[in-house]
Amino acid sequence: MGAQVVEVVEHPMDSQIKSASIVSVGNEVLSGRTVDTNAAHIGRQLRRIGVPVVSAHTVGDRREVIVRALELAASEADIVIVTGGLGPTDDDLTRQAFGDYLGCELELRDDLLEAIRNRFAARGMEMPQRNRIQACIPKAAEPIANEWGTAPGVAAERGGKLFFALPGVPREMEKMLDASVLPRLGQLAEGQAVAVQRLKCFGTGESAMAEMLGDAMDRDRNPLVNCTARIGIITLEIVATAASRDLAEAMVVDEETRLRNILGDVIYGTGEETLAEVVGHKLARAGRTLALAESCTGGLAAKLVTDVPGASAYFNRGWVTYSNEAKVAELGVPADLITARGAVSAEVAAAMAQGARRRAQADHAIGITGIAGPGGATEQKPLGLVYISVDDADGTITSRHVLFSQERSFVRLRAAQTALNALRLRLGG
Amino acid sequence: MGAQVVEVVEHPMDSQIKSASIVSVGNEVLSGRTVDTNAAHIGRQLRRIGVPVVSAHTVGDRREVIVRALELAASEADIVIVTGGLGPTDDDLTRQAFGDYLGCELELRDDLLEAIRNRFAARGMEMPQRNRIQACIPKAAEPIANEWGTAPGVAAERGGKLFFALPGVPREMEKMLDASVLPRLGQLAEGQAVAVQRLKCFGTGESAMAEMLGDAMDRDRNPLVNCTARIGIITLEIVATAASRDLAEAMVVDEETRLRNILGDVIYGTGEETLAEVVGHKLARAGRTLALAESCTGGLAAKLVTDVPGASAYFNRGWVTYSNEAKVAELGVPADLITARGAVSAEVAAAMAQGARRRAQADHAIGITGIAGPGGATEQKPLGLVYISVDDADGTITSRHVLFSQERSFVRLRAAQTALNALRLRLGG
């Protein structure tokens, strides 16, 4: 949240507002083998509770270099969050560096060792000797429980500053941040309240949306509206800052109403909702079932649908009919239709959806056929051309899309998202 | 690039090896609105020419804070590359901070102003007044041409250290890095060459692998072996540093041979290869076809297979038989077998694979059934239990796996990867 970062820097003496610095440890980050998404995630999460990140540093797997980074970060902020370097191998040195910084030895904690042993035991494995090191933390520190991996985190305090070390594995880091770190920091951030709401949008471009929103996105507004586009999904983030949570939340509610009036059903959900979740909830509520017939998306649409826990309540079955023979044999698409119109055509998309719904005896079916590239494009049928057909008892609606991109993966993802969105609009409110 | 990072830190006086530090400027990066992919890109590009990145720092849009970051980076490395803060708006302060750091005024350069005007003119637009600032650079600095955007870069030297400021827009930054920065650094990096090889592994844990490798992963070795695990795939990166590229490459080849002798077919590929690519190449070379029958992975295995361009040459079709009815109707799995053994059983996995191969008339088929969670687990059938069956003319091989994780998405991905790996091993060298 830019506003608060500036706020903090303008008044470095302001004791009300606690700030944070992030230290990412790992040669793989410096060498670019790994893009550091952890820092961005931590920045977003801390902003939610009103703690601005004022700096971020990345260092290699060197004990003394990590110590220097801890000193630097502590000189810049009240809270230091370190990620990475807690693995079991010799190039994992964050634990040792923490000991050096705190001026104490590492000690083997039996409770941590037990937890790690149990984790392996649960998989019918014996704990490798080298994992013992993960049960060691500096005497002056406290462990942070890790239920999602073998590496416990480390929490410590020095000179009134708080330090947290978390694993570099994003999944583990994110869970531990939510479960153990944010709750502690939330208490620090009193006197400042930030309310955030995310509106998830699909079906329009970023600039078209900016046009629609007009001055809503001015940088000096409070609430501030941030717009980020990622793989086709546009997220509008409303961030309101106020003296109390109630006030901030009221501001967010007003702004959300305003944006909904402008954008209508371009907004498909809120928070972290995916198109598949929204469609899934609609189907589950209505007690209806879905079948999928995919060609160019090659199973991606089914994957997205079944990413949602409990999808078996409404997802009946799916086909990946990659070859023409498969379209004919599995879905009953007339062979001469493919010959006459081509596998990538509105007619074949419709026949795929109808065949899938009939065979699966489902209430709804989607047919997807297109050209994901890099090969297969022609003058008449460009790369990114996708036909999507949604079939139900009321009939079949087929739409044509040209998803501009040279990226096979992007065309495929956009095609699957567009198909789910077509069903969402068909299912209505 | 561990080897060189170590080298540099061990001998900061070593004039042979020039190192670099990256400074990313922008509140949007700190707040997590933007993930900083620039630092990773720069790290990769510099490593190619043998210049290790020893640190990376991210700071907000504040003039004095940027100056401090320049001082810090210059104290850590010989080369400082700054990205961001060169835009036309008031929160773009990298130019001014550079002036402060170099101790000189900004001057308006007519040639730069002309270039920016022309850029707008080419789009039939007049240059907005606010873009004038982009034609200003510190008196003591040189501009870096930007043919891809309006913001010229800034190059400067101070105290024997080199400074480059580039725009934050990835496309512009990358083009300017290639066109203007790397050529200059390439000359500095003479006398040091780095060769890198990545070995992609699947089928063992990080610690088990470290056990196997023994001292191969010692931090002070050259070649250095870095080990990173991501979503089940373990990447061993061999980094050799030597006086010439030939020498470095020979060192890498020797180390790769050594690691292959130890790890055998745990190594499935090299570079950025995926399991699906390796399996796809094997099938294509042998002129064989594949069919997939998925339950718990819900289309993910088919998605991975069809991520590979040209998969249509060997991927025939796939089924997502999420319900028992679908397993019976589409794959001919005996209903009483499901009743007797349960949908998640070795017998049903085998029947799925056999049914898929028969129906698709494919050479190979994979059947996958398991419990991805969060629901569905029982005493006898825990979360993460997956049966994978590979069927071909020579028979059916079924394996049982317990993929330990609370994460549905992780269990699903590991299940799909394990299935592809089972086929890879079946297909042999």
Side-chain angles (χ1 to χ4, degrees):
Chain A
M1 222 192 66
Q4 293 224 341
V5 176
V6 174
E7 188 68 28
V8 170
V9 183
E10 299 277 18
H11 313 295
M13 296 299 95
D14 183 338
S15 62
Q16 277 295 70
I17 299 179
K18 301 287 183 184
S19 63
S21 179
I22 300 171
V23 175
S24 306
V25 177
N27 291 342
E28 72 277 12
V29 181
L30 287 176
S31 67
R33 271 200 318 283
T34 301
V35 174
D36 184 7
T37 55
N38 286 345
H41 178 85
I42 294 168
R44 283 192 298 273
Q45 297 305 312
L46 291 188
R47 181 175 52 175
R48 284 239 186 76
I49 59 168
V51 175
V53 173
V54 293
S55 65
H57 308 282
T58 306
V59 295
D61 300 311
R62 295 281 303 169
R63 191 162 166 169
E64 61 271 36
V65 173
I66 300 168
V67 173
R68 233 194 292 131
L70 290 172
E71 292 164 350
L72 172 63
S75 73
E76 297 173 323
D78 312 289
I79 299 149
V80 177
I81 298 182
V82 183
T83 63
L86 293 178
T89 56
D90 296 343
D91 59 353
D92 292 302
L93 297 162
T94 296
R95 267 179 230 90
Q96 291 84 337
F98 248 90
D100 296 347
Y101 179 72
L102 297 171
C104 65
E105 298 292 304
L106 295 187
E107 78 181 332
L108 178 71
R109 298 261 309 229
D110 296 334
D111 53 336
L112 299 180
L113 188 60
E114 193 54 27
I116 297 169
R117 279 227 181 82
N118 292 341
R119 205 178 156 73
F120 280 95
R123 310 157 76 169
M125 295 164 63
E126 196 174 314
M127 183 193 82
Q129 270 312 301
R130 70 176 53 246
N131 286 81
R132 279 179 69 87
I133 184 65
Q134 297 187 301
C136 300
I137 67 168
K139 279 204 176 68
E142 280 305 311
I144 299 173
N146 179 356
E147 299 165 28
W148 307 273
T150 57
V154 178
E157 187 162 355
R158 177 181 155 182
K161 313 265 173 150
L162 292 179
F163 298 80
F164 302 92
L166 302 173
V169 181
R171 199 176 67 260
E172 297 177 31
M173 182 281 294
E174 291 169 15
K175 296 284 189 183
M176 292 166 76
L177 188 72
D178 287 346
S180 304
V181 180
L182 293 181
R184 282 190 62 176
L185 300 188
Q187 296 146 18
L188 293 176
E190 275 168 31
Q192 60 187 323
V194 177
V196 177
Q197 168 69 302
R198 290 204 186 76
L199 303 180
K200 312 288 280 184
C201 309
F202 189 87
T204 181
E206 202 173 1
S207 42
M209 178 161 294
E211 292 291 322
M212 286 191 259
L213 295 182
D215 69 355
M217 283 182 56
D218 290 351
R219 294 294 80 195
D220 53 4
R221 286 181 78 241
N222 179 23
L224 185 73
V225 176
N226 297 312
C227 177
T228 45
R230 222 180 127 264
I231 50 175
I233 304 292
I234 293 183
T235 301
L236 288 177
E237 184 177 59
I238 306 168
V239 183
T241 312
S244 79
R245 175 149 291 281
D246 290 355
L247 281 174
E249 280 170 357
M251 290 165 69
V252 164
V253 169
D254 291 348
E255 186 68 12
E256 175 172 351
T257 308
R258 185 161 157 255
L259 295 178
R260 285 188 178 276
N261 290 336
I262 299 172
L263 297 172
D265 67 8
V266 166
I267 298 173
Y268 74 79
T270 58
E272 304 302 323
E273 276 188 307
T274 65
L275 279 164
E277 284 170 339
V278 171
V279 167
H281 295 152
K282 286 177 185 287
L283 289 168
R285 268 201 309 276
R288 294 166 153 262
T289 58
L290 173 66
L292 294 172
E294 304 182 62
S295 185
C296 64
T297 48
L300 177 52
K303 184 267 183 190
L304 294 177
V305 166
T306 57
D307 277 337
V308 182
S312 53
Y314 48 84
F315 180 61
N316 176 307
R317 71 195 72 173
W319 288 265
V320 182
T321 52
Y322 222 51
S323 64
N324 290 347
E325 299 64 37
K327 293 178 180 69
V328 174
E330 304 305 329
L331 302 172
V333 176
D336 56 7
L337 185 66
I338 297 177
T339 316
R341 302 298 185 179
V344 178
S345 62
E347 294 80 359
V348 168
M352 287 171 67
Q354 290 156 2
R357 191 166 77 90
R358 194 172 52 244
R359 258 203 87 88
Q361 295 170 0
D363 300 308
H364 303 272
I366 300 176
I368 309 171
T369 180
I371 297 165
T378 68
E379 192 74 11
Q380 297 71 24
K381 297 186 175 180
L383 174 60
L385 173 66
V386 177
Y387 290 95
I388 289 166
S389 194
V390 177
D391 182 62
D392 60 33
D394 301 334
T396 313
I397 296 177
T398 305
S399 54
R400 177 183 190 276
H401 310 264
V402 179
L403 308 170
F404 286 106
S405 170
Q406 297 312 312
E407 278 295 314
R408 173 181 176 85
S409 60
F410 184 75
V411 171
R412 279 156 51 90
L413 181 55
R414 284 304 304 275
Q417 290 172 325
T418 304
L420 292 176
N421 195 53
L423 176 58
R424 174 183 73 96
L425 296 173
R426 176 72 180 228
L427 291 170
Chain B
M1 238 190 44
Q4 297 222 339
V5 176
V6 174
E7 195 64 32
V8 169
V9 181
E10 299 276 22
H11 315 292
M13 296 296 97
D14 183 339
S15 63
Q16 273 297 74
I17 298 180
K18 302 288 183 182
S19 62
S21 179
I22 300 171
V23 175
S24 306
V25 178
N27 291 343
E28 72 279 10
V29 181
L30 287 175
S31 67
R33 278 204 303 285
T34 301
V35 173
D36 184 8
T37 56
N38 286 345
H41 178 85
I42 294 169
R44 282 191 300 271
Q45 296 305 312
L46 292 189
R47 181 172 55 174
R48 291 235 174 80
I49 60 168
V51 174
V53 173
V54 293
S55 64
H57 308 282
T58 306
V59 295
D61 300 311
R62 295 281 304 169
R63 192 163 167 167
E64 61 272 33
V65 172
I66 300 169
V67 173
R68 232 191 295 131
L70 290 172
E71 292 163 349
L72 172 63
S75 73
E76 297 173 323
D78 311 290
I79 299 149
V80 177
I81 298 181
V82 183
T83 62
L86 293 178
T89 58
D90 298 344
D91 60 354
D92 293 301
L93 297 163
T94 298
R95 268 180 228 88
Q96 292 83 340
F98 249 91
D100 297 348
Y101 179 72
L102 297 171
C104 64
E105 298 292 304
L106 296 187
E107 75 180 336
L108 178 70
R109 298 261 309 232
D110 296 335
D111 54 337
L112 300 180
L113 187 60
E114 192 57 26
I116 297 169
R117 279 225 181 82
N118 293 340
R119 204 178 155 73
F120 278 96
R123 302 145 96 179
M125 296 164 64
E126 193 172 317
M127 185 192 80
Q129 271 312 299
R130 67 147 76 131
N131 287 83
R132 275 179 73 87
I133 184 66
Q134 297 187 301
C136 300
I137 67 167
K139 278 204 175 71
E142 280 304 312
I144 300 173
N146 179 356
E147 299 166 28
W148 307 271
T150 57
V154 178
E157 189 162 353
R158 178 181 154 182
K161 313 264 173 153
L162 292 179
F163 298 81
F164 302 92
L166 302 172
V169 182
R171 193 168 148 283
E172 296 177 33
M173 182 282 292
E174 291 168 16
K175 296 281 191 183
M176 293 166 76
L177 188 72
D178 288 346
S180 306
V181 180
L182 293 180
R184 282 191 62 177
L185 299 188
Q187 294 146 21
L188 293 176
E190 275 168 31
Q192 63 185 320
V194 176
V196 177
Q197 168 68 303
R198 288 199 196 82
L199 303 180
K200 311 287 282 186
C201 310
F202 188 85
T204 182
E206 200 174 2
S207 340
M209 173 158 298
E211 295 288 334
M212 287 191 258
L213 296 182
D215 68 354
M217 281 185 58
D218 290 352
R219 294 292 81 196
D220 52 4
R221 284 181 77 243
N222 179 22
L224 183 79
V225 177
N226 294 311
C227 177
T228 39
R230 223 179 128 265
I231 49 175
I233 304 293
I234 293 183
T235 302
L236 289 176
E237 183 177 62
I238 306 167
V239 183
T241 311
S244 79
R245 175 150 290 281
D246 290 355
L247 281 173
E249 281 171 357
M251 289 165 68
V252 164
V253 170
D254 292 347
E255 186 67 13
E256 175 171 351
T257 309
R258 194 169 146 245
L259 294 179
R260 284 187 180 277
N261 290 336
I262 299 171
L263 297 172
D265 66 9
V266 165
I267 299 173
Y268 74 79
T270 59
E272 303 302 323
E273 278 187 307
T274 65
L275 279 163
E277 284 169 341
V278 170
V279 167
H281 295 150
K282 285 177 185 288
L283 289 168
R285 270 201 308 276
R288 293 165 154 265
T289 58
L290 173 67
L292 295 172
E294 304 182 61
S295 186
C296 63
T297 49
L300 176 53
K303 184 266 182 189
L304 293 177
V305 167
T306 57
D307 277 338
V308 182
S312 54
Y314 48 85
F315 180 59
N316 176 305
R317 72 195 70 173
W319 288 264
V320 182
T321 52
Y322 222 52
S323 64
N324 291 345
E325 298 65 36
K327 293 178 179 70
V328 173
E330 304 305 329
L331 302 172
V333 177
D336 54 9
L337 185 67
I338 298 177
T339 316
R341 302 298 185 179
V344 178
S345 63
E347 294 80 358
V348 167
M352 287 170 69
Q354 290 156 2
R357 192 166 77 88
R358 193 173 52 244
R359 257 203 90 87
Q361 296 170 2
D363 300 307
H364 303 272
I366 300 176
I368 310 170
T369 180
I371 297 165
T378 68
E379 195 65 15
Q380 297 73 23
K381 298 188 175 179
L383 173 61
L385 173 65
V386 177
Y387 290 95
I388 289 166
S389 195
V390 177
D391 183 62
D392 60 33
D394 301 332
T396 312
I397 297 178
T398 304
S399 54
R400 178 184 190 277
H401 310 264
V402 179
L403 308 170
F404 192 76
S405 170
Q406 299 310 314
E407 282 294 313
R408 174 181 176 85
S409 61
F410 186 74
V411 170
R412 278 156 52 91
L413 181 55
R414 285 305 302 277
Q417 291 172 326
T418 304
L420 293 175
N421 195 53
L423 176 59
R424 173 182 74 93
L425 296 172
R426 177 71 183 228
L427 291 171

